[in-house]
Amino acid sequence: MSDQKHIYIGLGSNVGDRLSYLQLAIDSIHYEVGSVLKISSCYQTPAMGFEGDAFINACIEVRTCLSAELVLSKLLQIEEQHGRKRFDDGQYHARTLDLDVLFYENEIIENQILSVPHPRLEQRRFVLQPLNDIAPDLIHPIQKESISTLLDFCQDQSPIEKRKESLQNPLQRFDFSAFNFIAIEGNIGAGKSSLTQMMAEDFNAKPIFERFADNPFLPKFYKDKERYAFALEMSFLADRYQQISDDLSQLDLFKDFIIADYDVFKSLIFSKITLQEDEFLLYRTLFYQVYKDIKRPDLYVYLHQNIDRLQQNIKKRGRNYERNLESDYLDKIHFGYLDFIKNNPQFKVKIIDISDRDFIENRHDYLWLLQHIQE
């Protein structure tokens, strides 16, 4: 999964229905750039550097996997799509939208197309005031002062008026409040952990990640399946129980729901494939004894990827012990999941085919996937 960057964008408009233009900008940034995390209040200020109607300004915090240059390109496209006209006379003009990259993490970027942090923002109250709403402790990497301190010492005395109207975060249009516990499932390499991480960050959820990387039997199993299958499945049985019991019992009052990148019943799916029949019967008996009172997810999401895509994803993440996984083994896992889903109709299940989607690298595909989970 690409590194996610926290960036800050300034928004302004002084033409037409200014608040509507700002909301359109936020909606477009949500769709094209990344998840909008925070939105400031709106502030009205006079036009600077030219005669024109007053601006309404705001700032937003966004999490994105795009480079700073690509973010700028997206913002310029959004301005143009919503009627921004540019002139070559070197003068300031009225504009439907003015979108600026203020900060890109704590990086200092200076090239032919981009200057970050945005030049002279510490001299502009119409930038500092809304930015102070959402990031008062953010440190300017050049000035070495916090936004709140820069605002206190800003010499810009232009009048500024806080508006009563507010802008809406597009993420609020997704509502997972009906669920206390969501499990994301799928074959090896389907993207379960990535989706769990992304949704946890976007929707204030407590994430639970399977601790397979710490299992000492897993690399051994891939080298000698028959010898280590039972030891592997028993170790997963114990570890999954311990982890899920601890995490589900620890109530987090500051999180809206729990989301996990596995469901404990995957133990039965994998053990049925890897174990001899007599071993599996013993294992299944132990499983139901251990998990008889375990909490089940309110929503079970199964991500379907075709085998070719799975193998591409497995190769991309570069775990040595997975590099020789055979298509036949992945096929068995897939049909094992489908058999489990078919024989457990009491679960609320969403099967979503993402074989032609890349929700990690493609923002549109991620939003498409959220919509299908919510429906």
Side-chain angles (χ1 to χ4, degrees):
M1 181 175 173
S2 300
D3 290 339
Q4 298 282 301
K5 303 288 188 179
H6 286 248
I7 67 174
Y8 294 87
I9 298 173
L11 303 89
S13 174
N14 80 322
V15 171
D17 190 342
R18 298 166 296 171
L19 284 166
S20 292
Y21 278 122
L22 295 185
Q23 186 62 60
L24 286 170
I26 290 175
D27 292 348
S28 298
I29 290 168
H30 158 81
Y31 191 67
E32 296 289 347
V33 178
S35 296
V36 178
L37 304 182
K38 295 179 183 177
I39 303 176
S40 74
S41 298
C42 295
Y43 293 87
Q44 182 164 299
T45 59
M48 292 186 65
F50 70 100
E51 293 292 330
D53 294 335
F55 275 85
I56 294 181
N57 295 288
C59 288
I60 59 176
E61 180 185 358
V62 177
R63 186 177 58 250
T64 184
C65 62
L66 304 182
S67 67
E69 289 76 14
L70 189 51
V71 170
L72 175 62
S73 176
K74 294 284 187 182
L75 296 184
L76 293 175
Q77 290 175 12
I78 292 168
E79 288 180 343
E80 184 177 350
Q81 288 167 1
H82 297 299
R84 169 74 183 266
K85 295 180 180 178
R86 297 186 177 276
F87 300 87
D88 296 327
D89 57 7
Q91 303 297 314
Y92 289 109
H93 294 271
R95 41 210 181 267
T96 55
L97 275 179
D98 191 11
L99 305 177
D100 293 312
V101 182
L102 303 177
F103 293 97
Y104 187 87
E105 290 272 304
N106 61 347
E107 295 185 22
I108 300 173
I109 303 171
E110 194 69 48
N111 55 45
Q112 291 181 337
I113 64 170
L114 186 63
S115 182
V116 176
H118 196 275
R120 299 179 300 283
L121 70 83
E122 70 276 7
Q123 302 171 19
R124 296 172 174 174
R125 188 171 296 275
F126 68 86
V127 175
L128 291 174
Q129 187 67 63
L131 190 56
N132 188 65
D133 286 355
I134 60 174
D137 299 323
L138 180 67
I139 301 298
H140 193 299
I142 297 176
Q143 302 295 327
K144 306 299 183 184
E145 299 284 358
S146 69
I147 297 302
S148 61
T149 300
L150 292 175
L151 177 60
D152 287 340
F153 289 94
C154 181
Q155 297 184 13
D156 178 8
Q157 298 302 313
S158 302
I160 186 166
E161 175 191 351
K162 186 175 181 178
R163 301 281 299 225
K164 295 180 180 179
E165 304 93 336
S166 60
L167 300 168
Q168 182 188 29
N169 190 331
L171 280 176
Q172 294 175 352
R173 296 167 193 165
F174 295 102
D175 183 9
F176 300 103
S177 61
F179 308 110
N180 293 316
F181 178 22
I182 298 175
I184 307 296
E185 268 291 10
N187 212 324
I188 300 170
K192 305 180 291 294
S193 298
S194 295
L195 180 60
T196 297
Q197 182 67 48
M198 294 164 76
M199 290 185 64
E201 292 176 345
D202 281 347
F203 301 104
N204 191 41
K206 176 183 178 180
I208 301 175
F209 298 102
E210 188 175 15
R211 299 185 295 221
F212 61 86
D214 299 328
N215 192 311
F217 293 103
L218 194 56
K220 296 177 182 178
F221 167 77
Y222 283 125
K223 290 181 180 178
D224 190 342
K225 290 184 172 61
E226 287 191 13
R227 181 179 178 183
Y228 290 104
F230 192 75
L232 175 70
E233 298 302 341
M234 288 300 296
S235 65
F236 271 135
L237 179 74
D239 191 58
R240 286 169 182 154
Y241 176 78
Q242 185 66 52
Q243 183 184 20
I244 208 77
S245 298
D246 290 347
D247 284 325
L248 292 179
S249 64
Q250 295 172 3
L251 181 64
D252 191 334
L253 298 176
F254 299 100
K255 298 296 182 181
D256 295 333
F257 60 95
I258 293 171
I259 185 166
D261 69 349
Y262 72 99
D263 173 60
V264 293
F265 273 74
K266 77 179 297 179
S267 296
L268 288 182
I269 296 169
F270 278 75
S271 60
K272 191 173 183 179
I273 297 169
T274 60
L275 299 180
Q276 300 294 325
E277 184 176 358
D278 56 343
E279 291 178 328
F280 172 69
L281 293 176
L282 172 59
Y283 182 87
R284 186 175 62 181
T285 300
L286 293 171
F287 177 89
Y288 281 112
Q289 286 294 320
V290 171
Y291 287 114
K292 59 184 178 181
D293 297 321
I294 202 74
K295 179 178 174 59
R296 299 310 320 284
D298 305 305
L299 177 63
Y300 184 105
V301 177
Y302 180 73
L303 303 177
H304 169 65
Q305 286 263 30
N306 64 43
I307 300 300
D308 288 342
R309 283 291 302 277
L310 291 174
Q311 290 181 322
Q312 290 173 18
N313 294 342
I314 291 167
K315 183 178 181 180
K316 187 185 299 184
R317 66 190 188 186
R319 295 172 186 158
N320 288 332
Y321 56 81
E322 291 180 339
R323 61 186 175 185
N324 294 320
L325 281 178
E326 299 173 351
S327 299
D328 182 59
Y329 180 62
L330 296 174
D331 255 333
K332 288 178 180 178
I333 293 172
H334 171 62
F335 285 110
Y337 271 109
L338 296 185
D339 184 62
F340 168 76
I341 292 169
K342 181 181 70 174
N343 290 300
N344 289 274
Q346 72 274 24
F347 297 156
K348 184 175 180 60
V349 175
K350 289 286 183 78
I351 301 176
I352 306 176
D353 188 347
I354 57 170
S355 296
D356 296 324
R357 304 278 179 171
D358 185 352
F359 67 85
I360 297 174
E361 299 295 338
N362 188 313
R363 176 76 182 165
H364 301 175
D365 286 347
Y366 172 58
L367 298 176
W368 172 90
L369 181 54
L370 291 180
Q371 188 65 47
H372 277 68
I373 293 173
Q374 179 179 255
E375 286 176 352

